[in-house]
Amino acid sequence: MQIEVVKSKIHRVKVTGADLNYIGSITIDEDLMEAANIIRGEKVQIVNNNNGERLETYAIPGPRNSGEITLNGAAARKVAVGDVLILITYARMELEEAKTFMPAIVFPNEENNLLN
């Protein structure tokens, strides 16, 4: 049996941009992506702490050490600059593997989204 578990999480980052005219996705500072073990194109669940919205899109890397968190395309309508988000990815694995699996959880600086 396989189950789906949290693979990675970036906890409490602030939205730095919303670009309705981009084709879609979320742009995430590449340093944050690496720390959370998120790869380009990976599906990401976005939880908006400010308005309760939950949505899914895919990750694209932004400039390193920029703190960028930009929602692109239609997702831009679900956030405002300054909103606090939790970004989550999931993985399917066998039950026994899941029992010992440890997700990558990142807690960036809440003021600038950078790693401390």
Side-chain angles (χ1 to χ4, degrees):
M1 170 177 46
Q2 288 198 330
I3 63 170
E4 195 168 19
V5 298
V6 172
K7 178 186 141 287
S8 48
K9 179 167 109 170
I10 301 174
H11 191 77
R12 297 186 61 86
V13 287
K14 286 186 183 174
V15 174
T16 61
D19 185 356
L20 185 61
N21 295 313
Y22 191 81
I23 60 171
S25 71
I26 181 171
T27 304
I28 305 170
D29 177 325
E30 194 166 7
D31 286 339
L32 292 175
M33 286 180 63
E34 283 184 2
N37 195 26
I38 297 172
I39 64 167
R40 176 189 305 267
E42 186 170 358
K43 183 166 85 171
V44 178
Q45 181 182 43
I46 300 162
V47 180
N48 187 326
N49 283 2
N50 291 79
N51 63 19
E53 290 281 355
R54 288 177 172 255
L55 61 116
E56 292 178 341
T57 189
Y58 60 93
I60 60 172
R64 287 185 179 280
N65 202 37
S66 66
E68 181 176 358
I69 301 290
T70 300
L71 276 290
N72 302 302
R77 295 198 183 274
K78 303 289 188 176
V79 301
V81 171
D83 282 358
V84 175
L85 308 179
I86 298 170
L87 311 178
I88 309 164
T89 67
Y90 299 89
R92 288 190 176 96
M93 59 188 68
E94 295 298 324
L95 180 61
E96 289 306 310
E97 180 185 5
K99 287 179 181 180
T100 59
F101 178 77
M102 297 300 295
I105 301 178
V106 177
F107 297 91
N109 180 310
E110 289 188 37
E111 295 304 313
N112 59 17
N113 295 339
L114 299 178
L115 298 172
N116 293 332

PDB file of all heavy atoms in Angstrom, residues 56-94:
ATOM      1  N   GLU A  56      -3.255  24.797  -5.861  1.00  0.00           N
ATOM      2  CA  GLU A  56      -2.085  24.050  -6.308  1.00  0.00           C
ATOM      3  C   GLU A  56      -1.577  24.638  -7.604  1.00  0.00           C
ATOM      4  O   GLU A  56      -2.358  25.077  -8.449  1.00  0.00           O
ATOM      5  CB  GLU A  56      -2.442  22.577  -6.522  1.00  0.00           C
ATOM      6  CG  GLU A  56      -2.768  21.854  -5.248  1.00  0.00           C
ATOM      7  CD  GLU A  56      -3.164  20.408  -5.484  1.00  0.00           C
ATOM      8  OE1 GLU A  56      -3.530  20.052  -6.626  1.00  0.00           O
ATOM      9  OE2 GLU A  56      -3.103  19.629  -4.537  1.00  0.00           O
ATOM     10  N   THR A  57      -0.273  24.634  -7.755  1.00  0.00           N
ATOM     11  CA  THR A  57       0.392  25.059  -8.979  1.00  0.00           C
ATOM     12  C   THR A  57       1.734  24.353  -9.013  1.00  0.00           C
ATOM     13  O   THR A  57       1.926  23.370  -8.308  1.00  0.00           O
ATOM     14  CB  THR A  57       0.507  26.607  -9.055  1.00  0.00           C
ATOM     15  OG1 THR A  57       0.965  26.974 -10.362  1.00  0.00           O
ATOM     16  CG2 THR A  57       1.404  27.175  -7.993  1.00  0.00           C
ATOM     17  N   TYR A  58       2.660  24.855  -9.810  1.00  0.00           N
ATOM     18  CA  TYR A  58       3.984  24.238  -9.877  1.00  0.00           C
ATOM     19  C   TYR A  58       5.057  25.287  -9.607  1.00  0.00           C
ATOM     20  O   TYR A  58       4.852  26.476  -9.825  1.00  0.00           O
ATOM     21  CB  TYR A  58       4.213  23.563 -11.237  1.00  0.00           C
ATOM     22  CG  TYR A  58       4.135  24.514 -12.403  1.00  0.00           C
ATOM     23  CD1 TYR A  58       5.280  25.124 -12.912  1.00  0.00           C
ATOM     24  CD2 TYR A  58       2.912  24.816 -12.992  1.00  0.00           C
ATOM     25  CE1 TYR A  58       5.208  26.004 -13.971  1.00  0.00           C
ATOM     26  CE2 TYR A  58       2.831  25.688 -14.052  1.00  0.00           C
ATOM     27  CZ  TYR A  58       3.973  26.281 -14.539  1.00  0.00           C
ATOM     28  OH  TYR A  58       3.890  27.162 -15.587  1.00  0.00           O
ATOM     29  N   ALA A  59       6.190  24.828  -9.129  1.00  0.00           N
ATOM     30  CA  ALA A  59       7.275  25.718  -8.703  1.00  0.00           C
ATOM     31  C   ALA A  59       8.218  26.041  -9.842  1.00  0.00           C
ATOM     32  O   ALA A  59       8.558  25.173 -10.648  1.00  0.00           O
ATOM     33  CB  ALA A  59       8.071  25.058  -7.574  1.00  0.00           C
ATOM     34  N   ILE A  60       8.641  27.317  -9.886  1.00  0.00           N
ATOM     35  CA  ILE A  60       9.751  27.712 -10.745  1.00  0.00           C
ATOM     36  C   ILE A  60      10.729  28.509  -9.888  1.00  0.00           C
ATOM     37  O   ILE A  60      10.308  29.250  -8.991  1.00  0.00           O
ATOM     38  CB  ILE A  60       9.310  28.507 -11.992  1.00  0.00           C
ATOM     39  CG1 ILE A  60       8.580  29.783 -11.607  1.00  0.00           C
ATOM     40  CG2 ILE A  60       8.462  27.661 -12.917  1.00  0.00           C
ATOM     41  CD1 ILE A  60       8.301  30.687 -12.792  1.00  0.00           C
ATOM     42  N   PRO A  61      12.024  28.321 -10.119  1.00  0.00           N
ATOM     43  CA  PRO A  61      13.011  29.004  -9.273  1.00  0.00           C
ATOM     44  C   PRO A  61      13.105  30.491  -9.592  1.00  0.00           C
ATOM     45  O   PRO A  61      13.097  30.894 -10.751  1.00  0.00           O
ATOM     46  CB  PRO A  61      14.321  28.289  -9.578  1.00  0.00           C
ATOM     47  CG  PRO A  61      14.109  27.638 -10.902  1.00  0.00           C
ATOM     48  CD  PRO A  61      12.643  27.392 -11.053  1.00  0.00           C
ATOM     49  N   GLY A  62      13.202  31.272  -8.528  1.00  0.00           N
ATOM     50  CA  GLY A  62      13.470  32.694  -8.644  1.00  0.00           C
ATOM     51  C   GLY A  62      14.917  32.968  -8.288  1.00  0.00           C
ATOM     52  O   GLY A  62      15.650  32.049  -7.886  1.00  0.00           O
ATOM     53  N   PRO A  63      15.347  34.200  -8.392  1.00  0.00           N
ATOM     54  CA  PRO A  63      16.739  34.541  -8.085  1.00  0.00           C
ATOM     55  C   PRO A  63      17.132  34.126  -6.661  1.00  0.00           C
ATOM     56  O   PRO A  63      16.354  34.289  -5.717  1.00  0.00           O
ATOM     57  CB  PRO A  63      16.776  36.060  -8.236  1.00  0.00           C
ATOM     58  CG  PRO A  63      15.615  36.392  -9.116  1.00  0.00           C
ATOM     59  CD  PRO A  63      14.573  35.363  -8.814  1.00  0.00           C
ATOM     60  N   ARG A  64      18.349  33.597  -6.544  1.00  0.00           N
ATOM     61  CA  ARG A  64      18.861  33.181  -5.237  1.00  0.00           C
ATOM     62  C   ARG A  64      18.984  34.375  -4.294  1.00  0.00           C
ATOM     63  O   ARG A  64      19.324  35.471  -4.711  1.00  0.00           O
ATOM     64  CB  ARG A  64      20.239  32.540  -5.378  1.00  0.00           C
ATOM     65  CG  ARG A  64      20.206  31.176  -5.985  1.00  0.00           C
ATOM     66  CD  ARG A  64      21.603  30.558  -5.977  1.00  0.00           C
ATOM     67  NE  ARG A  64      21.554  29.236  -6.534  1.00  0.00           N
ATOM     68  CZ  ARG A  64      21.153  28.154  -5.873  1.00  0.00           C
ATOM     69  NH1 ARG A  64      20.773  28.247  -4.619  1.00  0.00           N
ATOM     70  NH2 ARG A  64      21.138  26.971  -6.456  1.00  0.00           N
ATOM     71  N   ASN A  65      18.706  34.101  -3.017  1.00  0.00           N
ATOM     72  CA  ASN A  65      18.859  35.087  -1.953  1.00  0.00           C
ATOM     73  C   ASN A  65      18.035  36.356  -2.207  1.00  0.00           C
ATOM     74  O   ASN A  65      18.399  37.431  -1.777  1.00  0.00           O
ATOM     75  CB  ASN A  65      20.341  35.436  -1.759  1.00  0.00           C
ATOM     76  CG  ASN A  65      20.609  36.006  -0.385  1.00  0.00           C
ATOM     77  OD1 ASN A  65      20.018  35.580   0.607  1.00  0.00           O
ATOM     78  ND2 ASN A  65      21.482  36.984  -0.311  1.00  0.00           N
ATOM     79  N   SER A  66      16.926  36.184  -2.924  1.00  0.00           N
ATOM     80  CA  SER A  66      16.054  37.326  -3.231  1.00  0.00           C
ATOM     81  C   SER A  66      14.843  37.387  -2.312  1.00  0.00           C
ATOM     82  O   SER A  66      14.214  38.431  -2.178  1.00  0.00           O
ATOM     83  CB  SER A  66      15.566  37.238  -4.678  1.00  0.00           C
ATOM     84  OG  SER A  66      14.713  36.098  -4.840  1.00  0.00           O
ATOM     85  N   GLY A  67      14.484  36.234  -1.730  1.00  0.00           N
ATOM     86  CA  GLY A  67      13.263  36.161  -0.929  1.00  0.00           C
ATOM     87  C   GLY A  67      12.004  36.187  -1.764  1.00  0.00           C
ATOM     88  O   GLY A  67      10.902  36.296  -1.232  1.00  0.00           O
ATOM     89  N   GLU A  68      12.150  36.035  -3.073  1.00  0.00           N
ATOM     90  CA  GLU A  68      10.977  36.151  -3.949  1.00  0.00           C
ATOM     91  C   GLU A  68       9.980  35.024  -3.747  1.00  0.00           C
ATOM     92  O   GLU A  68      10.332  33.851  -3.728  1.00  0.00           O
ATOM     93  CB  GLU A  68      11.398  36.175  -5.425  1.00  0.00           C
ATOM     94  CG  GLU A  68      10.192  36.331  -6.340  1.00  0.00           C
ATOM     95  CD  GLU A  68      10.523  36.454  -7.805  1.00  0.00           C
ATOM     96  OE1 GLU A  68      11.722  36.457  -8.164  1.00  0.00           O
ATOM     97  OE2 GLU A  68       9.578  36.550  -8.598  1.00  0.00           O
ATOM     98  N   ILE A  69       8.724  35.412  -3.594  1.00  0.00           N
ATOM     99  CA  ILE A  69       7.581  34.512  -3.588  1.00  0.00           C
ATOM    100  C   ILE A  69       6.512  35.218  -4.423  1.00  0.00           C
ATOM    101  O   ILE A  69       5.834  36.133  -3.935  1.00  0.00           O
ATOM    102  CB  ILE A  69       7.045  34.238  -2.165  1.00  0.00           C
ATOM    103  CG1 ILE A  69       8.124  33.630  -1.269  1.00  0.00           C
ATOM    104  CG2 ILE A  69       5.786  33.371  -2.221  1.00  0.00           C
ATOM    105  CD1 ILE A  69       8.532  32.200  -1.617  1.00  0.00           C
ATOM    106  N   THR A  70       6.406  34.839  -5.697  1.00  0.00           N
ATOM    107  CA  THR A  70       5.464  35.494  -6.599  1.00  0.00           C
ATOM    108  C   THR A  70       4.467  34.481  -7.142  1.00  0.00           C
ATOM    109  O   THR A  70       4.867  33.451  -7.696  1.00  0.00           O
ATOM    110  CB  THR A  70       6.213  36.158  -7.781  1.00  0.00           C
ATOM    111  OG1 THR A  70       7.112  37.133  -7.267  1.00  0.00           O
ATOM    112  CG2 THR A  70       5.243  36.835  -8.737  1.00  0.00           C
ATOM    113  N   LEU A  71       3.192  34.781  -7.000  1.00  0.00           N
ATOM    114  CA  LEU A  71       2.144  33.956  -7.580  1.00  0.00           C
ATOM    115  C   LEU A  71       1.864  34.484  -8.973  1.00  0.00           C
ATOM    116  O   LEU A  71       1.680  35.684  -9.167  1.00  0.00           O
ATOM    117  CB  LEU A  71       0.869  34.005  -6.738  1.00  0.00           C
ATOM    118  CG  LEU A  71       0.807  33.050  -5.542  1.00  0.00           C
ATOM    119  CD1 LEU A  71       0.671  31.628  -5.979  1.00  0.00           C
ATOM    120  CD2 LEU A  71       1.937  33.232  -4.591  1.00  0.00           C
ATOM    121  N   ASN A  72       1.838  33.572  -9.949  1.00  0.00           N
ATOM    122  CA  ASN A  72       1.706  33.940 -11.349  1.00  0.00           C
ATOM    123  C   ASN A  72       0.411  33.400 -11.940  1.00  0.00           C
ATOM    124  O   ASN A  72      -0.106  32.372 -11.501  1.00  0.00           O
ATOM    125  CB  ASN A  72       2.895  33.369 -12.132  1.00  0.00           C
ATOM    126  CG  ASN A  72       4.217  33.861 -11.588  1.00  0.00           C
ATOM    127  OD1 ASN A  72       4.464  35.051 -11.521  1.00  0.00           O
ATOM    128  ND2 ASN A  72       5.067  32.934 -11.172  1.00  0.00           N
ATOM    129  N   GLY A  73      -0.075  34.074 -12.964  1.00  0.00           N
ATOM    130  CA  GLY A  73      -1.282  33.640 -13.651  1.00  0.00           C
ATOM    131  C   GLY A  73      -2.502  33.783 -12.758  1.00  0.00           C
ATOM    132  O   GLY A  73      -2.572  34.676 -11.907  1.00  0.00           O
ATOM    133  N   ALA A  74      -3.468  32.899 -12.951  1.00  0.00           N
ATOM    134  CA  ALA A  74      -4.730  32.984 -12.215  1.00  0.00           C
ATOM    135  C   ALA A  74      -4.531  32.958 -10.699  1.00  0.00           C
ATOM    136  O   ALA A  74      -5.298  33.570  -9.948  1.00  0.00           O
ATOM    137  CB  ALA A  74      -5.654  31.846 -12.636  1.00  0.00           C
ATOM    138  N   ALA A  75      -3.485  32.272 -10.230  1.00  0.00           N
ATOM    139  CA  ALA A  75      -3.213  32.202  -8.784  1.00  0.00           C
ATOM    140  C   ALA A  75      -2.958  33.575  -8.185  1.00  0.00           C
ATOM    141  O   ALA A  75      -3.158  33.781  -6.984  1.00  0.00           O
ATOM    142  CB  ALA A  75      -2.029  31.284  -8.521  1.00  0.00           C
ATOM    143  N   ALA A  76      -2.549  34.527  -9.017  1.00  0.00           N
ATOM    144  CA  ALA A  76      -2.287  35.884  -8.527  1.00  0.00           C
ATOM    145  C   ALA A  76      -3.549  36.513  -7.938  1.00  0.00           C
ATOM    146  O   ALA A  76      -3.467  37.400  -7.086  1.00  0.00           O
ATOM    147  CB  ALA A  76      -1.746  36.762  -9.659  1.00  0.00           C
ATOM    148  N   ARG A  77      -4.711  36.055  -8.362  1.00  0.00           N
ATOM    149  CA  ARG A  77      -5.976  36.579  -7.831  1.00  0.00           C
ATOM    150  C   ARG A  77      -6.288  36.062  -6.426  1.00  0.00           C
ATOM    151  O   ARG A  77      -7.187  36.548  -5.766  1.00  0.00           O
ATOM    152  CB  ARG A  77      -7.126  36.240  -8.762  1.00  0.00           C
ATOM    153  CG  ARG A  77      -7.027  36.922 -10.113  1.00  0.00           C
ATOM    154  CD  ARG A  77      -8.361  36.899 -10.805  1.00  0.00           C
ATOM    155  NE  ARG A  77      -8.286  37.491 -12.124  1.00  0.00           N
ATOM    156  CZ  ARG A  77      -8.416  38.786 -12.370  1.00  0.00           C
ATOM    157  NH1 ARG A  77      -8.606  39.629 -11.382  1.00  0.00           N
ATOM    158  NH2 ARG A  77      -8.348  39.237 -13.617  1.00  0.00           N
ATOM    159  N   LYS A  78      -5.547  35.067  -5.982  1.00  0.00           N
ATOM    160  CA  LYS A  78      -5.819  34.429  -4.685  1.00  0.00           C
ATOM    161  C   LYS A  78      -4.961  34.976  -3.552  1.00  0.00           C
ATOM    162  O   LYS A  78      -5.079  34.526  -2.420  1.00  0.00           O
ATOM    163  CB  LYS A  78      -5.590  32.913  -4.789  1.00  0.00           C
ATOM    164  CG  LYS A  78      -6.409  32.229  -5.856  1.00  0.00           C
ATOM    165  CD  LYS A  78      -7.851  32.184  -5.468  1.00  0.00           C
ATOM    166  CE  LYS A  78      -8.644  31.318  -6.439  1.00  0.00           C
ATOM    167  NZ  LYS A  78     -10.026  31.200  -6.025  1.00  0.00           N
ATOM    168  N   VAL A  79      -4.065  35.932  -3.861  1.00  0.00           N
ATOM    169  CA  VAL A  79      -3.148  36.479  -2.858  1.00  0.00           C
ATOM    170  C   VAL A  79      -3.052  37.990  -2.998  1.00  0.00           C
ATOM    171  O   VAL A  79      -3.422  38.551  -4.019  1.00  0.00           O
ATOM    172  CB  VAL A  79      -1.727  35.881  -2.983  1.00  0.00           C
ATOM    173  CG1 VAL A  79      -1.737  34.375  -2.815  1.00  0.00           C
ATOM    174  CG2 VAL A  79      -1.073  36.281  -4.293  1.00  0.00           C
ATOM    175  N   ALA A  80      -2.510  38.598  -1.971  1.00  0.00           N
ATOM    176  CA  ALA A  80      -2.112  40.003  -2.004  1.00  0.00           C
ATOM    177  C   ALA A  80      -0.669  40.064  -1.529  1.00  0.00           C
ATOM    178  O   ALA A  80      -0.244  39.238  -0.699  1.00  0.00           O
ATOM    179  CB  ALA A  80      -3.006  40.844  -1.105  1.00  0.00           C
ATOM    180  N   VAL A  81       0.090  41.009  -2.054  1.00  0.00           N
ATOM    181  CA  VAL A  81       1.461  41.186  -1.584  1.00  0.00           C
ATOM    182  C   VAL A  81       1.430  41.379  -0.076  1.00  0.00           C
ATOM    183  O   VAL A  81       0.615  42.138   0.445  1.00  0.00           O
ATOM    184  CB  VAL A  81       2.133  42.384  -2.294  1.00  0.00           C
ATOM    185  CG1 VAL A  81       3.480  42.708  -1.661  1.00  0.00           C
ATOM    186  CG2 VAL A  81       2.295  42.092  -3.776  1.00  0.00           C
ATOM    187  N   GLY A  82       2.274  40.641   0.630  1.00  0.00           N
ATOM    188  CA  GLY A  82       2.316  40.683   2.089  1.00  0.00           C
ATOM    189  C   GLY A  82       1.575  39.544   2.761  1.00  0.00           C
ATOM    190  O   GLY A  82       1.772  39.294   3.952  1.00  0.00           O
ATOM    191  N   ASP A  83       0.699  38.834   2.024  1.00  0.00           N
ATOM    192  CA  ASP A  83       0.024  37.676   2.616  1.00  0.00           C
ATOM    193  C   ASP A  83       1.056  36.650   3.059  1.00  0.00           C
ATOM    194  O   ASP A  83       2.115  36.489   2.440  1.00  0.00           O
ATOM    195  CB  ASP A  83      -0.924  37.011   1.613  1.00  0.00           C
ATOM    196  CG  ASP A  83      -2.241  37.740   1.440  1.00  0.00           C
ATOM    197  OD1 ASP A  83      -2.469  38.761   2.130  1.00  0.00           O
ATOM    198  OD2 ASP A  83      -3.051  37.281   0.609  1.00  0.00           O
ATOM    199  N   VAL A  84       0.750  35.914   4.109  1.00  0.00           N
ATOM    200  CA  VAL A  84       1.633  34.877   4.639  1.00  0.00           C
ATOM    201  C   VAL A  84       1.157  33.523   4.122  1.00  0.00           C
ATOM    202  O   VAL A  84      -0.019  33.165   4.276  1.00  0.00           O
ATOM    203  CB  VAL A  84       1.643  34.901   6.180  1.00  0.00           C
ATOM    204  CG1 VAL A  84       2.464  33.743   6.733  1.00  0.00           C
ATOM    205  CG2 VAL A  84       2.194  36.238   6.678  1.00  0.00           C
ATOM    206  N   LEU A  85       2.081  32.779   3.512  1.00  0.00           N
ATOM    207  CA  LEU A  85       1.769  31.488   2.910  1.00  0.00           C
ATOM    208  C   LEU A  85       2.538  30.358   3.563  1.00  0.00           C
ATOM    209  O   LEU A  85       3.623  30.560   4.109  1.00  0.00           O
ATOM    210  CB  LEU A  85       2.142  31.483   1.423  1.00  0.00           C
ATOM    211  CG  LEU A  85       1.612  32.599   0.540  1.00  0.00           C
ATOM    212  CD1 LEU A  85       2.112  32.406  -0.876  1.00  0.00           C
ATOM    213  CD2 LEU A  85       0.097  32.664   0.587  1.00  0.00           C
ATOM    214  N   ILE A  86       1.981  29.162   3.441  1.00  0.00           N
ATOM    215  CA  ILE A  86       2.684  27.916   3.726  1.00  0.00           C
ATOM    216  C   ILE A  86       2.702  27.151   2.408  1.00  0.00           C
ATOM    217  O   ILE A  86       1.660  27.000   1.758  1.00  0.00           O
ATOM    218  CB  ILE A  86       1.993  27.106   4.831  1.00  0.00           C
ATOM    219  CG1 ILE A  86       1.974  27.905   6.131  1.00  0.00           C
ATOM    220  CG2 ILE A  86       2.699  25.759   5.028  1.00  0.00           C
ATOM    221  CD1 ILE A  86       1.111  27.288   7.219  1.00  0.00           C
ATOM    222  N   LEU A  87       3.877  26.711   1.984  1.00  0.00           N
ATOM    223  CA  LEU A  87       4.046  25.980   0.732  1.00  0.00           C
ATOM    224  C   LEU A  87       4.373  24.532   1.068  1.00  0.00           C
ATOM    225  O   LEU A  87       5.297  24.263   1.840  1.00  0.00           O
ATOM    226  CB  LEU A  87       5.171  26.594  -0.096  1.00  0.00           C
ATOM    227  CG  LEU A  87       5.112  28.118  -0.281  1.00  0.00           C
ATOM    228  CD1 LEU A  87       6.317  28.596  -1.074  1.00  0.00           C
ATOM    229  CD2 LEU A  87       3.812  28.531  -0.940  1.00  0.00           C
ATOM    230  N   ILE A  88       3.612  23.590   0.496  1.00  0.00           N
ATOM    231  CA  ILE A  88       3.727  22.177   0.860  1.00  0.00           C
ATOM    232  C   ILE A  88       3.819  21.328  -0.402  1.00  0.00           C
ATOM    233  O   ILE A  88       3.088  21.557  -1.364  1.00  0.00           O
ATOM    234  CB  ILE A  88       2.502  21.715   1.676  1.00  0.00           C
ATOM    235  CG1 ILE A  88       2.240  22.652   2.849  1.00  0.00           C
ATOM    236  CG2 ILE A  88       2.682  20.281   2.161  1.00  0.00           C
ATOM    237  CD1 ILE A  88       0.859  22.496   3.464  1.00  0.00           C
ATOM    238  N   THR A  89       4.717  20.341  -0.382  1.00  0.00           N
ATOM    239  CA  THR A  89       4.733  19.313  -1.421  1.00  0.00           C
ATOM    240  C   THR A  89       4.522  17.959  -0.742  1.00  0.00           C
ATOM    241  O   THR A  89       4.772  17.800   0.457  1.00  0.00           O
ATOM    242  CB  THR A  89       6.044  19.294  -2.232  1.00  0.00           C
ATOM    243  OG1 THR A  89       7.111  18.880  -1.382  1.00  0.00           O
ATOM    244  CG2 THR A  89       6.335  20.650  -2.843  1.00  0.00           C
ATOM    245  N   TYR A  90       4.061  17.008  -1.530  1.00  0.00           N
ATOM    246  CA  TYR A  90       3.749  15.676  -1.013  1.00  0.00           C
ATOM    247  C   TYR A  90       4.445  14.625  -1.864  1.00  0.00           C
ATOM    248  O   TYR A  90       4.789  14.873  -3.015  1.00  0.00           O
ATOM    249  CB  TYR A  90       2.230  15.438  -1.051  1.00  0.00           C
ATOM    250  CG  TYR A  90       1.451  16.421  -0.213  1.00  0.00           C
ATOM    251  CD1 TYR A  90       1.006  17.624  -0.759  1.00  0.00           C
ATOM    252  CD2 TYR A  90       1.183  16.166   1.124  1.00  0.00           C
ATOM    253  CE1 TYR A  90       0.299  18.539   0.005  1.00  0.00           C
ATOM    254  CE2 TYR A  90       0.473  17.077   1.898  1.00  0.00           C
ATOM    255  CZ  TYR A  90       0.034  18.258   1.330  1.00  0.00           C
ATOM    256  OH  TYR A  90      -0.660  19.162   2.100  1.00  0.00           O
ATOM    257  N   ALA A  91       4.622  13.443  -1.293  1.00  0.00           N
ATOM    258  CA  ALA A  91       5.204  12.316  -2.029  1.00  0.00           C
ATOM    259  C   ALA A  91       4.440  11.049  -1.662  1.00  0.00           C
ATOM    260  O   ALA A  91       3.969  10.909  -0.521  1.00  0.00           O
ATOM    261  CB  ALA A  91       6.679  12.146  -1.681  1.00  0.00           C
ATOM    262  N   ARG A  92       4.340  10.157  -2.630  1.00  0.00           N
ATOM    263  CA  ARG A  92       3.734   8.834  -2.376  1.00  0.00           C
ATOM    264  C   ARG A  92       4.859   7.865  -2.078  1.00  0.00           C
ATOM    265  O   ARG A  92       5.893   7.866  -2.735  1.00  0.00           O
ATOM    266  CB  ARG A  92       2.960   8.367  -3.593  1.00  0.00           C
ATOM    267  CG  ARG A  92       1.685   9.129  -3.799  1.00  0.00           C
ATOM    268  CD  ARG A  92       0.820   8.467  -4.869  1.00  0.00           C
ATOM    269  NE  ARG A  92      -0.430   9.174  -4.955  1.00  0.00           N
ATOM    270  CZ  ARG A  92      -0.690  10.124  -5.841  1.00  0.00           C
ATOM    271  NH1 ARG A  92       0.229  10.453  -6.731  1.00  0.00           N
ATOM    272  NH2 ARG A  92      -1.850  10.726  -5.858  1.00  0.00           N
ATOM    273  N   MET A  93       4.617   7.037  -1.092  1.00  0.00           N
ATOM    274  CA  MET A  93       5.613   6.023  -0.746  1.00  0.00           C
ATOM    275  C   MET A  93       4.947   4.867  -0.040  1.00  0.00           C
ATOM    276  O   MET A  93       3.795   4.971   0.406  1.00  0.00           O
ATOM    277  CB  MET A  93       6.739   6.617   0.110  1.00  0.00           C
ATOM    278  CG  MET A  93       6.311   7.243   1.405  1.00  0.00           C
ATOM    279  SD  MET A  93       7.656   8.117   2.255  1.00  0.00           S
ATOM    280  CE  MET A  93       7.935   9.489   1.169  1.00  0.00           C
ATOM    281  N   GLU A  94       5.691   3.795   0.042  1.00  0.00           N
ATOM    282  CA  GLU A  94       5.188   2.621   0.754  1.00  0.00           C
ATOM    283  C   GLU A  94       5.006   2.958   2.232  1.00  0.00           C
ATOM    284  O   GLU A  94       5.757   3.764   2.791  1.00  0.00           O
ATOM    285  CB  GLU A  94       6.152   1.444   0.594  1.00  0.00           C
ATOM    286  CG  GLU A  94       6.277   0.937  -0.827  1.00  0.00           C
ATOM    287  CD  GLU A  94       4.978   0.399  -1.399  1.00  0.00           C
ATOM    288  OE1 GLU A  94       4.185  -0.211  -0.646  1.00  0.00           O
ATOM    289  OE2 GLU A  94       4.740   0.601  -2.607  1.00  0.00           O
TER     290      GLU A  94
END
